[in-house]
Amino acid sequence: MSDFLISALKMPERSESSTEKIMSSIMDTIADNLPRQKSGHFDPGSVSEKVKNKLFGRQDTVHRVLGGGKPADVLLWRNKKISSSVLALATAIWVFFEWLDYHFLTIISFALVLGMVAQFVWSNFSSMLSGSPSKVPRVELPEELFVNIAVAIGVQVNKFLCFLQDVSCERNLKHFVVAIAALWAAAVIGSWCNFLTVIYIGFVCAHTLPVLYEKYEDQVDNFLYSTLGLLRDQYQKVDRGVLSKIPKGNLNAKKSE
């Protein structure tokens, strides 16, 4: 059955765009590299049960996991014009700041200059064209917009800090090591590129990975759970060979002495 799915992925329709062909070739490569053998220490029954319940025990659709509504529609390319426009706008902003070496203050100043020139022309020459002066509309941003942005950022920062504190205090060595490795990887990536490039890469991943997963979720689930099984086997070997042999002292006994 898996060979049939892999062969089906290698036959894209002629009407697909170039982007869809590139995505299909990437997933074909991943499918070709799926591990053929399962480790003896990993329970195949647990894999089949997890695949049945989808990734990480997910029961809902990808659209509902992303929150539903318009943001999920944009991330899953339900409307290709809107999604491509959002991605093109983000790319243009990144090109302006990263490749063309523009600065934020420069862009804002140029935008304000263009807006002032347009309003000046409108207010002074509208009466000459229409015979009666027209009122230039006021541009005002609602205060609730800034409040909502600040509240949303604060909530996410607090969740992240609580997560780090929970990992540090739960006395689970595996979770602690994974968190440290993730932060170390983020630090290394940050040394390679600036913060704007990191945000842009994350934005592009958010607009490509969900739709790829929705299209090939069965193949991705099988690949990820096979990989997790191999990682679990390696961790059990390290635990039996190294971690279990580390002496654990009794802090209470030492304090009483």
Side-chain angles (χ1 to χ4, degrees):
M1 185 63 181
S2 60
D3 294 336
F4 175 75
L5 292 175
I6 295 173
S7 61
L9 291 176
K10 295 181 179 179
M11 297 167 54
E13 297 179 358
R14 295 182 179 179
S15 60
E16 289 183 336
S17 61
S18 59
T19 303
E20 294 176 345
K21 291 181 180 179
I22 294 175
M23 292 180 179
S24 299
S25 63
I26 294 174
M27 296 308 301
D28 288 341
T29 304
I30 295 176
D32 291 336
N33 292 320
L34 287 176
R36 299 291 181 180
Q37 299 178 353
K38 297 181 180 179
S39 175
H41 298 287
F42 191 63
D43 185 12
S46 62
V47 175
S48 61
E49 183 67 20
K50 289 179 180 179
V51 173
K52 181 179 178 181
N53 294 329
K54 302 304 180 181
L55 188 61
F56 302 122
R58 175 177 59 85
Q59 300 292 339
D60 296 330
T61 61
V62 180
H63 188 269
R64 293 187 62 182
V65 170
L66 294 176
K70 294 182 178 180
D73 293 339
V74 173
L75 294 177
L76 294 177
W77 292 72
R78 293 289 190 265
N79 190 325
K80 294 184 178 181
K81 292 183 179 180
I82 297 177
S83 299
S84 59
S85 299
V86 172
L87 188 59
L89 178 61
T91 304
I93 294 174
W94 180 74
V95 168
F96 267 108
F97 287 108
E98 189 67 19
W99 282 9
L100 301 181
D101 202 19
Y102 277 91
H103 299 283
F104 181 75
L105 182 59
T106 304
I107 298 294
I108 294 297
S109 299
F110 284 162
L112 293 177
V113 167
L114 292 177
M116 292 181 64
V117 170
Q119 289 186 344
F120 178 82
V121 173
W122 189 348
S123 61
N124 287 277
F125 294 96
S126 59
S127 58
M128 299 174 57
L129 298 176
S130 60
S132 60
S134 61
K135 185 178 180 180
V136 179
R138 291 288 182 179
V139 179
E140 294 182 358
L141 297 178
E143 297 180 359
E144 292 80 6
L145 175 63
F146 301 99
V147 174
N148 293 333
I149 293 175
V151 170
I153 294 175
V155 169
Q156 297 302 323
V157 170
N158 288 331
K159 286 183 178 180
F160 181 70
L161 294 177
C162 290
F163 170 75
L164 293 181
Q165 289 178 337
D166 292 339
V167 172
S168 302
C169 300
E170 69 179 353
R171 297 180 181 179
N172 190 320
L173 181 60
K174 181 173 67 174
H175 293 172
F176 181 76
V177 171
V178 171
I180 294 297
L183 292 176
W184 178 80
V188 172
I189 294 174
S191 64
W192 292 343
C193 52
N194 56 25
F195 186 64
L196 179 63
T197 303
V198 173
I199 293 178
Y200 175 71
I201 293 174
F203 191 85
V204 173
C205 291
H207 278 74
T208 54
L209 296 182
V211 66
L212 280 174
Y213 176 72
E214 186 183 40
K215 188 174 182 181
Y216 305 106
E217 57 179 320
D218 293 335
Q219 290 79 9
V220 173
D221 287 343
N222 289 329
F223 173 75
L224 289 179
Y225 280 120
S226 299
T227 304
L228 289 176
L230 296 176
L231 293 177
R232 178 180 295 182
D233 290 341
Q234 296 300 321
Y235 174 76
Q236 290 176 354
K237 292 179 181 179
V238 174
D239 187 30
R240 290 193 300 266
V242 179
L243 298 180
S244 61
K245 297 180 180 180
I246 297 177
K248 299 180 180 179
N250 193 342
L251 296 180
N252 295 327
K254 291 181 178 181
K255 289 182 179 179
S256 60
E257 292 177 359

